[in-house]
Every structure is written in C-alpha cells, then in structure tokens.
Amino acid sequence: MFIDIPSELEASLIERSLPPWELDGSFLAQSTIAEYRTELTAATRFEEVTATLRHALTGEGGGYAVLRLGNLSKVLGIDDDRFLRLVTGFAAYVAVPFSPFPRWPLWKDIGVKVDKDPGKSSGIGYNAFHMDLVNGTLPPDYTTLLCVRRDPLGGGPSILSDAHAAVARLSKDSRALLAESAYHYGTFFDLFGVGEEYKPFPILDGSDPGEGFVRFTAKMLERSELGQAHADAARELAKELVRGQVSFMLQPGDYLIVNQRRFLHGREALHSGQETVPVSDRRLLLQLFLRARPGDGSAA
C-alpha cells in the first residue's frame, strides 16, 4: 500500500525539528521515542496517517506500506538530519527501531558495489526473496528501507510477496517438510538484539498456519547443503513467491516498511552499466530494523 502524506501534515512536519536521538544499547531509547511521539502527534493529521500505516502493516491482507515522503525530503534535504529524524519518528510509531550491527548506530547504508556478490543487497544483480536475519532466534519484526537515490539507469525495482499466501498454495507434503527443522543459512556473529543462532531451523516457524515467520531465503538453495526432499519443497515455495510477487520502483523519499511475519522482500537486478556511474550517483538506500513492543501484537 502506498500512503501519500497530506499537504497539511507536510507543512506541519516541516515546522518541526526533532532532537537528536539517543540509543539504549542497540535500540532507540524510550526517552527519544516519547519525545518524538509527543512532538509528532501534535502535527496536523499525523495520527490519521499513522493509523492508516499500522492497518496497512497489520490489518487483514496487509503486510507492507510505502510512505511517500518525497516532498518532505525535497524541502528538508534527503540527507539532512532533520529529515532522517522525522522518518525515524514514523518508524518509532510502528515499533522500536534498532540496529543489529555494531558498526551501524541505527541506520545502515546499502549502496551499490560492482565488485560485490551480485545477489547481495549491495550487489548489482537479482536479490531473491528473503527475510532479513533469517538465522536468528529473534529476527526483526519489520525491515524498512528509505530510498535516498534510485538507480539512475532505471533498474532495481523492489519486489514483495505474501509469504503465507504462497505457503497456502503448496501441497500438504511440502508444507510438512518446510515445518521440519532441516534448514540453515549463513553465519551468525557480532549481532545485537536478534537472539541466538538458529541452526537448523524450520522455514514454517509457527504453530498455526498463516502465523509466525516464514524463515526463507532463496540463497539457501544454492549455498546450503539440504536434503533433496527439503530442497525441493523450498524450491516450490520460491516459485510460488515469484508467482505472487508485486513490483514497484522506489523514488527518492519513499519509505518502505515490511512486516517480516507476513511478507518477504527482494530486488530485481540493477540496470547494466553500473560501473560507468560514479559511486556518489549510484542507487542508495538506508535500512532500519524494528522490534515489535511486547504485547503490542503489531506483528502478529
């Protein structure tokens, strides 16, 4: 769901300057969340927009939203601290922002590196469907991406797919295999706020159908040694995710929020010729993770 910001709210937000944030460990401090909420709820129509946002993320059939903050980014400057604090304020209204990576204090840069593995988030190739921090016992409830620059050559649309809808289209035998703790992917070290390493793990990580994480990353099919039956079930899921995908191009100032308990995400390949684009002009996203508040039910 795309959510436009009413002009009255834009004008009200432009007049506000949120204070620098403080962290409590790897999480946004509750004092900062309270300050931001007090300031932002006084803005005209802010609560109306955030109610729409939360419904898009957690209501029936929902699971993702794109806040169209382009006008605000143009007025304030997309790389200005004032704008990033406003975006953080919107995020904090959904759940608690945090960084699992010690080198990134809150937001993580995702630029384009032509010498990286093309399938990585910073690569230039197809980034297949996945959930972030798939091998942690407590993966982020939400993953979010703020578009600073789009690919100047016109590639790299975002892709999303309803994970539980894809699972529902699988055979009973495939679902049974996906519910077994037979999958593993990647390494796990020097991470904050995402629990312990989960290895092996089930792809269907919930007691009831349609609930819980779908712990899937397509990369496990190429980079993990899986038994034939379990690999075939995962490939069947991968095909269903592609069959049900939605695709759109993020514009500068667009803020994508994905409920990881419902949707998986990825990216189509960037346009060829990235090596001819100066690093300062290449596609740039900022990533922020969110943890649902205890008892909130916002990611259920």
Side-chain angles (χ1 to χ4, degrees):
M1 180 179 186
F2 287 80
I3 301 175
D4 292 312
I5 305 300
S7 57
E8 305 98 307
L9 177 55
E10 288 178 340
S12 187
L13 291 175
I14 289 169
E15 296 174 355
R16 284 166 165 74
S17 182
L18 300 179
W21 60 66
E22 295 182 1
L23 299 180
D24 180 4
S26 59
F27 288 79
L28 188 66
Q30 288 298 320
S31 58
T32 296
I33 293 174
E35 281 185 281
Y36 284 11
R37 177 167 291 203
T38 298
E39 184 69 21
L40 291 176
T41 53
T44 305
R45 300 184 68 181
F46 178 80
E47 291 188 291
E48 173 189 332
V49 170
T50 51
T52 300
L53 172 61
R54 288 177 64 86
H55 180 75
L57 293 171
T58 65
E60 184 176 355
Y64 76 92
V66 178
L67 281 175
R68 311 305 297 266
L69 304 175
N71 290 338
L72 282 170
S73 72
K74 291 175 183 176
V75 173
L76 299 176
I78 199 163
D79 55 357
D80 188 275
D81 286 347
R82 283 185 61 198
F83 177 65
L84 196 57
R85 289 170 195 162
L86 284 174
V87 182
T88 304
F90 274 103
Y93 219 84
V94 173
V96 181
F98 78 104
S99 172
F101 308 111
R103 64 173 293 196
W104 301 103
L106 199 58
W107 291 84
K108 175 188 176 184
D109 290 0
I110 301 180
V112 174
K113 299 178 181 178
V114 296
D115 58 345
K116 279 280 190 180
D117 178 342
K120 294 283 190 179
S121 58
S122 58
I124 63 175
Y126 175 65
N127 184 221
F129 281 114
H130 64 280
M131 70 169 287
D132 289 325
L133 284 301
V134 66
N135 59 339
T137 54
L138 295 172
D141 295 294
Y142 299 90
T143 185
T144 80
L145 295 166
L146 173 64
C147 180
V148 177
R149 292 190 300 271
R150 57 177 291 179
D151 177 9
L153 300 179
S158 296
I159 54 174
L160 294 168
S161 191
D162 184 330
H164 290 289
V167 168
R169 295 193 293 269
L170 300 178
S171 67
K172 182 178 179 180
D173 288 344
S174 291
R175 292 198 298 271
L177 287 165
L178 295 176
E180 295 178 1
S181 295
Y183 297 89
H184 55 94
Y185 174 75
T187 58
F188 190 94
F189 62 94
D190 208 13
L191 297 172
F192 298 143
V194 291
E196 306 297 329
E197 182 175 15
Y198 199 1
K199 180 181 179 180
F201 55 80
I203 288 180
L204 302 187
D205 191 9
S207 57
D208 297 316
E211 295 184 1
F213 292 109
V214 176
R215 289 179 175 270
F216 179 79
T217 173
K219 296 184 182 73
M220 69 172 62
L221 296 172
E222 299 177 357
R223 304 177 188 179
S224 301
E225 294 183 3
L226 303 174
Q228 188 64 49
H230 291 98
D232 287 346
R235 288 191 183 94
E236 186 181 350
L237 174 58
K239 290 179 182 178
E240 288 300 327
L241 289 167
V242 172
R243 187 160 77 92
Q245 78 176 37
V246 294
S247 174
F248 48 81
M249 188 74 76
L250 292 174
Q251 304 297 328
D254 281 351
Y255 184 41
L256 169 64
I257 305 176
V258 182
N259 184 340
Q260 290 215 118
R261 292 181 181 271
R262 297 191 177 190
F263 271 70
L264 301 179
H265 68 286
R267 183 207 64 229
E268 298 285 3
L270 301 180
H271 199 282
S272 60
Q274 293 297 315
E275 66 280 355
T276 68
V277 179
V279 173
S280 59
D281 293 337
R282 292 176 185 167
R283 183 179 190 260
L284 176 62
L285 304 178
L286 299 181
Q287 186 171 42
L288 177 68
F289 298 102
L290 308 179
R291 169 72 62 220
R293 298 174 181 87
D296 188 355
S298 60

